[in-house]
Amino acid sequence: MATESLTSTTQRAGADALSTESGPQIKVQFTTQLPDLQLPEQHTGPILVPASLRRYGLSTLVNHLLGTSRPTPFDFLISGAIILRTSLDDYLAASGRSAETTLVLEYMPSLVPPLPLASFEHDDWVSCVDVRSATSAAAAGAAPAGGHERILSGSYDGILRVWNTSGQLLAASPGAGAGGGGGHGSNVKGGFLCAIKAASFMSATRLVSSGMDRTVRVWKYTDATATAAAAAADDDGPASASASASSAARIEPEMELYGHTASVDAIAVHEPTSRILSASADGTIGIWSSAAARAPAAPEARLPPPSHAPRKKPASSSGRARPHPAVPQRGPLRLLAGHTGPVSSVRFAAHDPTVAHSTSWDHSLRTWDLPTATLVDSRTTAHALLSLACLPSLQLLAAGTSARHITLLDPRAHAARVVAMTLRGHANAVVALAPDPGCEYRLLSASHDGTCRVWDLRARTPGPPVVPEPAPGATDGAVVVQSLYTIERESCGRRRVVAGEGVKVFDVCWDPEVGIVSAGEDRRVQINRGQGGGGGGGGGGGGG
């Protein structure tokens, strides 16, 4: 009788969302791990519901049982692993489960679709982006107050720029033509060599960048915005405060790092140990110190020719003039060789800064012990690997590939197979990845197809593996995941773009305060955010 009573409640609550009583019904039981969304015990089930229900109908039912005044969209996990993307009966058919089965559905708030919030235009392609907020790693010990988050962008014009979230340009680095040196490309001829390929906040006062000029550069960042704004506001009002704040912020060269022989396309920073990692097209990984006093001298063969130096010391005893750089020049602690192709990405291990992972165009993922500069492990895949992100709670590494998909790799030596999962949906190379800072199962990707995609690793295709079980030595994963949301470039408007032509996305960052920040060929930094917070709020997935 209890089941029948609850079934009547279900059909009254669903209205248009629920099917009629005449259709097939199945038993479901609701559960959640969120204390503030727990159902009363008498409403958890088992409950008979129409088998044709989808996410929306189930969400309507749970809201009714909770008695919420404002409906909350929910997503539903089945067996703790698969987010329901179809109707209940379609799921049962695909998974081969009996209609007599009681399905245990774990509900959680949906990820709100990340909507466009703002975009900042540049003079050239924007290759990289990073965010400093109260919750970012660079904020340790000096978290910015709310409203004082900073966005760092690097461009193909060789200039670093720091913005506030309102789109105001606060500071810009010296360019290639800057007197006194310090800018990317300032020591080489040829405009294309000034392009910045990677940039990151190392702390509240330091930035790191790398570029096609084969260097890694450390910058001093002075963010006097709040102080200057307060002083100017006292004297001249808000308009003067804004102008004074912008002029007070500065990016100044602090150190130049030489050692690579080709473009430096990716960097990773770890401020507590003063370490910087670099990934270069010359096939090596550089280990650097951000402290000039502890860094070795730069290799003389890698330094720019004296003719490009801004100043010179008096001739040495040998009669040869030596350059006297305006900025300290240092070399690497070590250069790690092992990859047979350009190194595309490098990351410190999530919980151990003495370990690093790298990906390469040579199809391999490699693990390194940094103190001994030793290659610990190498895993080979079927495609060139172009980007990398760590998913520490799942003990997996996500790698974007030239084959348009994302491969989830298990780096543990005892792993039964190299590839644990495959994420499919992009139409071009996947060149940047960022984990969701608020959910261990979610991942963000950026592609040359002109889109970013949001993934939940629990949104798997039910039933038998979609990808055939690999032959011995093959590496394609058996579990396939489809994306939850696709984020288009706002610069496209309604124009149809084929394979990202003109709007390729080069980099992406996911910050819980600011949102999803992406950079691309359209010369823009774009911010997307859901209504519930940075990137869309908590929970798991949406759509359906």
Side-chain angles (χ1 to χ4, degrees):
M1 292 296 294
T3 299
E4 291 177 1
S5 175
L6 286 170
T7 302
S8 299
T9 301
T10 296
Q11 291 168 350
R12 289 197 305 271
D16 295 336
L18 301 182
S19 302
T20 61
E21 293 187 55
S22 58
Q25 294 183 322
I26 61 174
K27 291 181 182 179
V28 299
Q29 184 164 356
F30 292 112
T31 182
T32 187
Q33 298 184 25
L34 305 175
D36 56 335
L37 291 176
Q38 293 281 352
L39 284 170
E41 186 175 352
Q42 67 270 24
H43 289 336
T44 59
I47 301 174
L48 277 173
V49 301
S52 59
L53 278 187
R54 303 172 70 90
R55 186 191 70 90
Y56 177 79
L58 291 168
S59 185
T60 302
L61 172 58
V62 171
N63 272 284
H64 174 79
L65 296 176
L66 287 170
T68 55
S69 57
R70 182 177 180 180
T72 300
F74 290 107
D75 273 309
F76 297 86
L77 283 175
I78 298 179
S79 303
I82 297 175
I83 291 183
L84 183 66
R85 315 306 299 166
T86 63
S87 65
L88 293 172
D89 52 0
D90 286 344
Y91 166 77
L92 291 174
S95 59
R97 301 178 69 173
S98 167
E100 302 297 321
T101 302
T102 298
L103 290 179
V104 178
L105 303 180
E106 179 185 341
Y107 59 93
M108 67 195 76
S110 295
L111 174 70
V112 180
L115 303 176
L117 183 68
S119 65
F120 313 150
E121 191 165 1
H122 293 59
D123 296 328
D124 207 335
W125 295 356
V126 188
S127 55
C128 50
V129 70
D130 194 21
V131 173
R132 177 177 174 264
S133 70
T135 54
S136 62
H148 292 281
E149 296 85 2
R150 297 293 178 256
I151 298 172
L152 172 66
S153 63
S155 173
Y156 271 69
D157 62 8
I159 298 176
L160 291 173
R161 294 173 174 86
V162 176
W163 312 75
N164 62 21
T165 53
S166 298
Q168 179 186 10
L169 178 62
L170 301 179
S173 67
H184 277 280
S186 59
N187 292 325
V188 294
K189 293 180 178 179
F192 71 96
L193 285 175
C194 70
I196 294 174
K197 297 302 295 292
S200 177
F201 282 101
M202 189 163 194
S203 69
T205 58
R206 303 181 88 192
L207 316 174
V208 181
S209 63
S210 67
M212 293 181 70
D213 61 355
R214 306 181 292 278
T215 68
V216 177
R217 296 176 186 251
V218 181
W219 308 82
K220 178 182 178 181
Y221 174 60
T222 304
D223 190 348
T225 302
T227 303
D234 290 340
D235 296 335
D236 303 309
S240 178
S242 178
S244 299
S246 179
S247 62
R250 299 188 304 276
I251 301 175
E252 302 168 297
E254 184 176 300
M255 185 166 54
E256 300 173 353
L257 303 175
Y258 292 87
H260 286 298
T261 59
S263 176
V264 186
D265 297 331
I267 55 174
V269 300
H270 190 258
E271 198 274 336
T273 58
S274 301
R275 289 293 182 264
I276 302 169
L277 300 178
S278 59
S280 174
D282 65 12
T284 66
I285 297 159
I287 308 175
W288 317 80
S289 173
S290 64
R294 296 196 294 270
E300 195 163 326
R302 300 288 175 257
L303 290 174
S307 59
H308 294 289
R311 291 184 287 148
K312 293 184 178 181
K313 287 183 179 180
S316 65
S317 57
S318 63
R320 180 183 175 189
R322 298 286 186 179
H324 179 75
V327 179
Q329 297 172 332
R330 297 293 185 266
L333 299 173
R334 298 292 292 266
L335 286 177
L336 307 180
H339 283 292
T340 59
V343 185
S344 56
S345 188
V346 64
R347 291 283 185 271
F348 286 98
H351 301 305
D352 187 354
T354 67
V355 175
H357 304 289
S358 61
T359 54
S360 169
W361 286 77
D362 66 8
H363 300 194
S364 72
L365 165 74
R366 297 182 185 240
T367 302
W368 308 84
D369 179 73
L370 299 180
T372 61
T374 303
L375 177 63
V376 175
D377 185 64
S378 181
R379 300 295 176 97
T380 302
T381 67
H383 307 284
L385 303 180
L386 309 182
S387 52
L388 182 64
C390 299
L391 303 173
S393 61
L394 303 180
Q395 298 183 315
L396 295 174
L397 297 172
T401 74
S402 60
R404 308 184 302 279
H405 61 261
I406 301 163
T407 297
L408 266 64
L409 303 158
D410 190 337
R412 295 174 297 176
H414 63 273
R417 59 187 304 154
V418 177
V419 175
M421 196 178 301
T422 302
L423 315 184
R424 299 185 184 275
H426 279 297
N428 208 331
V430 182
V431 295
L433 297 168
D436 180 351
C439 178
E440 61 189 5
Y441 293 100
R442 285 206 299 263
L443 182 69
L444 178 66
S445 61
S447 169
H448 281 177
D449 66 7
T451 70
C452 296
R453 287 180 180 252
V454 179
W455 312 80
D456 191 307
L457 306 186
R458 298 164 296 186
R460 306 175 185 178
T461 303
V466 174
V467 179
E469 192 67 23
T475 57
D476 204 0
V479 178
V480 174
V481 174
Q482 305 295 327
S483 63
L484 300 181
Y485 295 117
T486 300
I487 301 174
E488 307 279 353
R489 300 301 286 177
E490 281 299 291
S491 58
C492 289
R494 297 186 177 182
R495 176 169 55 93
R496 180 177 176 84
V497 176
V498 179
E501 185 64 32
V503 291
K504 295 180 180 69
V505 184
F506 296 137
D507 197 17
V508 72
C509 178
W510 199 341
D511 183 84
E513 306 295 328
V514 177
I516 293 173
V517 185
S518 56
E521 189 183 16
D522 58 1
R523 303 184 300 174
R524 294 175 182 269
V525 166
Q526 178 173 311
I527 303 177
N528 288 73
R529 187 165 62 195
Q531 297 174 357

